[in-house]
Every structure is written in C-alpha cells, then in structure tokens.
C-alpha cells in the first residue's frame, strides 16, 4: 500500500513564498509521474504542475514563472516551490503519484494567501 503525505501548507501574505513537499511511503516499485493539484472552495480540482521521472515539467498557465516543481527520486519526494503568491492561489493542494499506471493521492494541505 502506498501513502502520500504532504506538508508545508499554511497562511502566507500575498507576494510571499511557500514550499510544499510530499513524501511517498510504502511498497513502491517505481514512481513515474508526480504532480501537484489544487482545489479552491467551490471549484473543481485543477492541475498545478507535473514532473516526469526524468524531470520534464509541465505547469498550469496560472502558475508559470511563479511555481517550480521538483523531485528527489531517491527520497520518493516531490516539492512545489511557490513564489509571488496571490489570493487566488488559496486552495487545498494535493500531491499525486503514478505507480504502475495507478493514481495515488495525498490527503491535501491547505494554503491560504491573505491580501
């Protein structure tokens, strides 16, 4: 069984920075894609950023140039560095891992950006 555990959420002022991390625990053969998604109140979950095992990244237009996704394969951990945060970035952030073509999700961590 695989468990994803996010950390790093909290309250931050607009224009500030925050770093999230997500570690994978359990019987892990190999994690292919990793990603971060978010869900704001009253909205659907949306993609924030993804990264392949080889390091190829993809970002939502709304976060390009502000957020950076990275991963440490040896530690089974993915990171999300968020800079120049805006109130509209307020959401629960979920980490995702694809293992043997199956999707796994963390329970989410809340990021609140105050204006």
């Amino acid at each position: 069984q695989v468990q994803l555990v996010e950390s790093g959420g909290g309250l931050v002022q607009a224009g500030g920075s925050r770093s999230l991390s997500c570690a994978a625990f359990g019987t892990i053969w190999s994690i292919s894609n990793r990603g971060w998604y978010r869900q704001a109140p009253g909205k659907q979950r949306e993609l924030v950023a993804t990264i392949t095992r080889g390091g190829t990244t993809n970002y939502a237009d709304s976060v390009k140039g502000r957020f950076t996704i990275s991963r440490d394969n040896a530690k089974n951990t993915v990171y999300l560095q968020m800079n120049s945060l805006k109130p509209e970035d307020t959401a629960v952030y979920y980490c995702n891992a694809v293992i043997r073509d199956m999707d796994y999700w963390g329970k989410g961590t809340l990021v609140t950006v105050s204006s």
Side-chain angles (χ1 to χ4, degrees):
Q1 187 168 352
V2 176
Q3 185 179 13
L4 303 182
V5 180
E6 300 107 335
S7 61
L11 177 64
V12 60
Q13 287 189 332
S17 298
R18 199 80 183 179
S19 181
L20 305 181
S21 64
C22 174
F25 299 95
T27 304
I28 301 169
W29 293 95
S30 177
I31 304 176
S32 52
N33 288 357
R34 300 296 304 268
W36 287 95
Y37 293 72
R38 67 186 181 187
Q39 187 167 15
K43 295 187 177 181
Q44 290 188 327
R45 189 176 299 188
E46 63 177 3
L47 178 147
V48 175
T50 61
I51 184 169
T52 67
R53 186 168 183 83
T56 300
T57 58
N58 178 55
Y59 295 92
D61 288 342
S62 59
V63 306
K64 280 182 182 176
R66 301 189 297 123
F67 291 10
T68 302
I69 188 171
S70 61
R71 64 189 286 174
D72 184 331
N73 292 330
K75 295 181 179 180
N76 290 323
T77 299
V78 64
Y79 306 93
L80 185 68
Q81 177 63 42
M82 304 182 292
N83 298 327
S84 302
L85 282 161
K86 305 174 181 180
E88 51 263 43
D89 294 317
T90 295
V92 177
Y93 284 73
Y94 297 91
C95 102
N96 169 269
V98 178
I99 303 171
R100 290 189 146 187
D101 295 326
M102 289 186 63
D103 275 297
Y104 294 86
W105 295 91
K107 293 183 178 180
T109 186
L110 175 63
V111 175
T112 303
V113 184
S114 63
S115 57

